[in-house]
Amino acid sequence: NDDPRSDVELRQICARLLPGDAQEEEALARFESARSSKALAHLFVEPETEYRLATERMFDVEITDLDRDPMCWRGTIDRLLLRMEKDAVIGAQIVDFKTEPASDGAEIVRRHRAQLEDYRRAVGELFELDEASVECQIVWLPGAGLEAVLTV
């Protein structure tokens, strides 16, 4: 447990953000499960290379649609890690968190592939990256210790 926040602080955050004790307890249980999950450990480790990390990263980017007409696209990326080299962005990792029920991880990927591909395109445009250098992952948190990281 390397999280610098005490259980008291986590409870205070939950109490402020979530109405009702039942939701607070469920959120804390999910957080503890995620924090101890081997599948999610990489999310809690600081990268060894130069990086910038943003959570709830809003974007507003102009892209072209299939007819090559310009369109404005807005969204919010749950977690965006930018890999840096001498102040230049050289790659990115997008992580989107999902908590919904599903029969398996493949179903989650099917439901959200288009969303993540749009995020990949937007990040490529924003930071002038080839889309191949933008990783996309879904962190699926269905509860009951069944956390999974799904690559898109």
Side-chain angles (χ1 to χ4, degrees), residues 30-49:
R30 281 184 181 222
F31 178 78
E32 285 303 323
S33 180
R35 184 164 56 174
S36 62
S37 169
K38 286 182 173 48
L40 307 183
H42 73 282
L43 297 173
F44 300 101
V45 175
E46 188 169 356
E48 294 181 11
T49 58

Side-chain angles (χ1 to χ4, degrees), residues 1 3 7 10 24-44 97 99 139-149:
N1 179 357
D3 191 313
D7 287 343
L10 292 173
E24 181 180 326
E25 290 304 319
E26 181 183 350
L28 287 168
R30 281 184 181 222
F31 178 78
E32 285 303 323
S33 180
R35 184 164 56 174
S36 62
S37 169
K38 286 182 173 48
L40 307 183
H42 73 282
L43 297 173
F44 300 101
F97 295 93
T99 58
V139 173
W140 182 36
L141 305 165
L146 301 174
E147 300 82 13
V149 177

